[in-house]
Amino acid sequence: VSQSSSVLQPRFCLGNVGLVQRGGARQCRDRSRRRSTFTCVRGSRWHRDEQMSGDAVAHAAVGTHMGIPMAVTAGCLYAAAANVASYVAHEVEIGEQKSRRQLFLVDSIVFVGYTLGGLIVTVAYASGAAVPVINATMVATNLLTNMLLQVVLGITFYSKEMRTGTIIFALAVFQLSHLSPSPRDDCKALMMLSQPIALGWIAAVLAGVVLSSGAVWATWRRPMESMPKILAWSMLISCIATCTDNLASAFKLLHGFWLWAVLFAYAAISFVLLALSSKAPGVCEASLYVPLQLCTQLLLNMLTGQIVWGDKDRLSHPEAYLTSFAICTCSVYVASTNVDVIAAGVMRLRSSRGHMSASRFGQSVLELLASWQALSCADDDPIAQESAADALRMMLTSGYKWNIFPAESLIELIVRSIGDRGTFAASAPLVHWLEQRSFIRKYAHHHADFGKALRGTLDPNELSKLEELEADGEDSPTSDADEEEDTLCTSGLTRHDRVAQP
């Protein structure tokens, strides 16, 4: 920034620059003229011999403290907009008719919500607060508000893992807000940007955008569940989002032409990011893509803050700060009930490098195969029948435990097995299994008409079978602990066929 008369003419530079307070206005000078302003000490920490004025420090602190409330507001707006669209889509799915005008109104409300949220979070990034903290706060608020709205509106059922992971994420972010770096000195920020390690990291992120773009193109025709495809999209979205987040954080460092140039670049990149973000869930398995993308963006922003903006030098408790980010990442992993990277990796490694018998699931598959082969030779042998039933039970239990058989696939198997009888009418084993469930049993106890109606669906032949099943099971009542496992792994089985609690 050069000075002509009393008018400041801003010019952006990445050389040896320093900021000096004069008359309340921030000006940039060549550091060679003011070498006493900065000194380099151990640990690559920069200290100023001339401290910022009290007004400047107060202004920076106010901007930092305003960033977190704005991030919370943006997260609430994102969640509200998403749930408006989700609620209307849910109503349409169950058969409620919506006119084109109503759908257009919903789309307009969602667009306005996302736009306002984007503008507010941009201001939050530009406030000078640590980008990783702002990003984590916005994501935590989004997830927590989304969970509350989804439960209240009855859109989605949140399991224990999903509720616990979301709450832990919010608590970790609350801790982060008290561990965030102190207000950033814009002088040091400009100097950090000119350091080789910062320029190298920026180049690495841009290279990540290029490489992940190529990976997205190469995996375009792969199925939605393809992990290389999901990884490519997650890395592409995360790298671009990291660029936009940190560009917004640099707004207050720029003036004049360079400020407008960066604003234009930010708007263009944000438009591309919005288009890609709306496309990704349609081409990738959302249950895998969303948590992976969130964790990747959190980590990239945290590393960018450490390397580019020097957050590590302004942390009072760096170990606790990094641990909080680790907790955030683990909580997203816990909340993603369909994702078990470790189990999937172990099973894939064992299946590719070893024999089927190298894992317990593989052993259960081999035992089931052997029992079926024995039945093909002695179909009327009761011992062989019992052995095949035990092998099938063990295979299903092991597959569910290792997430090889998701609950949805087991439900589909049960429905198809019942349909193989030629009818989906009530049967004695199925009604008996329903009556043994704690919820159904307690409800039928208080509402006798429901119990009579349930048994009234059976024909006389099936009703006599039900009485025989009850006679066999009088001395072995089903416990509540067994019922949870039975619900996931069995259907229409007798008391001898129940799955043991692992």
Side-chain angles (χ1 to χ4, degrees), residues 283-306:
V283 297
C284 297
E285 177 60 41
S287 61
L288 298 174
Y289 162 77
V290 173
L292 182 60
Q293 192 275 322
L294 285 176
C295 293
T296 305
Q297 186 175 347
L298 282 173
L299 292 177
L300 285 178
N301 272 323
M302 185 270 292
L303 291 173
T304 303
Q306 299 287 310

Side-chain angles (χ1 to χ4, degrees), residues 392 396 409-424 491:
L392 177 61
L396 292 175
S409 66
L410 293 177
I411 293 172
E412 184 65 22
L413 173 64
I414 293 170
V415 173
R416 290 187 178 184
S417 299
I418 295 175
D420 283 344
R421 300 181 303 147
T423 178
F424 287 98
S491 176

Side-chain angles (χ1 to χ4, degrees), residues 33-61:
R33 297 174 56 189
R34 294 294 301 253
R35 287 193 183 274
S36 60
T37 305
F38 295 92
T39 57
C40 182
V41 296
R42 292 182 194 142
S44 299
R45 293 176 179 266
W46 290 90
H47 295 277
R48 296 189 61 177
D49 295 334
E50 298 177 2
Q51 299 294 330
M52 294 174 62
S53 65
D55 293 340
V57 173
H59 182 270

Side-chain angles (χ1 to χ4, degrees), residues 78-399:
Y78 281 145
N83 280 276
V84 167
S86 180
Y87 182 73
V88 173
H90 179 70
E91 288 187 331
V92 173
E93 183 180 355
I94 62 178
E96 186 170 341
Q97 298 295 327
K98 297 290 183 182
S99 65
R100 290 186 176 181
R101 180 176 297 179
Q102 289 175 321
L103 294 177
F104 176 77
L105 179 61
V106 170
D107 290 340
S108 301
I109 293 175
V110 172
F111 178 78
V112 171
Y114 275 116
T115 303
L116 288 176
L119 292 174
I120 292 174
V121 79
T122 299
V123 177
Y125 286 132
S127 67
V131 172
V133 177
I134 295 297
N135 180 235
T137 302
M138 186 269 292
V139 173
T141 308
N142 189 354
L143 293 177
L144 188 60
T145 307
N146 183 71
M147 181 184 71
L148 294 176
L149 291 176
Q150 295 256 326
V151 171
V152 171
L153 297 176
I155 300 174
T156 303
F157 170 75
Y158 269 69
S159 64
K160 178 181 178 181
E161 292 84 359
M162 297 170 69
R163 296 192 302 269
T164 303
T166 303
I167 293 173
I168 291 175
F169 191 104
L171 293 176
V173 170
F174 176 77
Q175 178 173 276
L176 269 177
S177 64
H178 295 276
L179 297 172
S180 60
S182 58
R184 187 177 66 198
D185 186 343
D186 293 342
C187 260
K188 297 179 182 179
L190 286 173
M191 293 175 55
M192 289 296 297
L193 281 173
S194 64
Q195 298 298 313
I197 187 172
L199 297 176
W201 176 254
I202 294 173
V205 173
L206 295 177
V209 173
V210 176
L211 294 176
S212 56
S213 298
V216 167
W217 178 264
T219 59
W220 181 262
R221 297 186 181 276
R222 293 198 179 190
M224 297 176 64
E225 299 81 10
S226 172
M227 278 309 298
K229 183 177 185 178
I230 295 173
L231 286 171
W233 277 93
S234 300
M235 184 59 67
L236 176 61
I237 301 296
S238 300
C239 288
I240 297 177
T242 300
C243 293
T244 57
D245 295 347
N246 289 276
L247 269 179
S249 179
F251 286 166
K252 64 183 299 185
L253 305 179
L254 307 174
H255 303 280
F257 168 78
W258 284 105
L259 176 60
W260 289 105
V262 172
L263 284 172
F264 178 79
Y266 178 84
I269 297 174
S270 297
F271 180 80
V272 174
L273 178 62
L274 180 61
L276 291 174
S277 298
S278 61
K279 182 71 175 178
V283 297
C284 297
E285 177 60 41
S287 61
L288 298 174
Y289 162 77
V290 173
L292 182 60
Q293 192 275 322
L294 285 176
C295 293
T296 305
Q297 186 175 347
L298 282 173
L299 292 177
L300 285 178
N301 272 323
M302 185 270 292
L303 291 173
T304 303
Q306 299 287 310
I307 298 173
V308 176
W309 302 114
D311 289 351
K312 61 182 180 298
D313 296 330
R314 296 179 284 112
L315 290 171
S316 56
H317 300 89
E319 296 83 4
Y321 180 78
L322 297 177
T323 303
S324 296
F325 273 99
I327 294 174
C328 288
T329 303
C330 292
S331 64
V332 173
Y333 183 73
V334 169
S336 306
T337 55
N338 293 333
V339 181
D340 195 344
V341 178
I342 298 176
V346 170
M347 294 302 297
R348 181 174 298 181
L349 181 63
R350 289 179 176 177
S351 62
S352 62
R353 295 188 177 182
H355 192 261
M356 178 69 78
S357 59
S359 64
R360 291 186 179 180
F361 173 73
Q363 292 174 3
S364 66
V365 173
L366 293 177
E367 291 175 2
L368 178 62
L369 179 60
S371 66
W372 283 348
Q373 291 172 345
L375 277 177
S376 64
C377 300
D379 190 29
D380 297 333
D381 187 358
I383 297 179
Q385 292 284 353
E386 185 69 21
S387 176
D390 292 338
L392 177 61
R393 187 180 305 110
M394 183 62 67
M395 190 271 293
L396 292 175
T397 304
S398 179

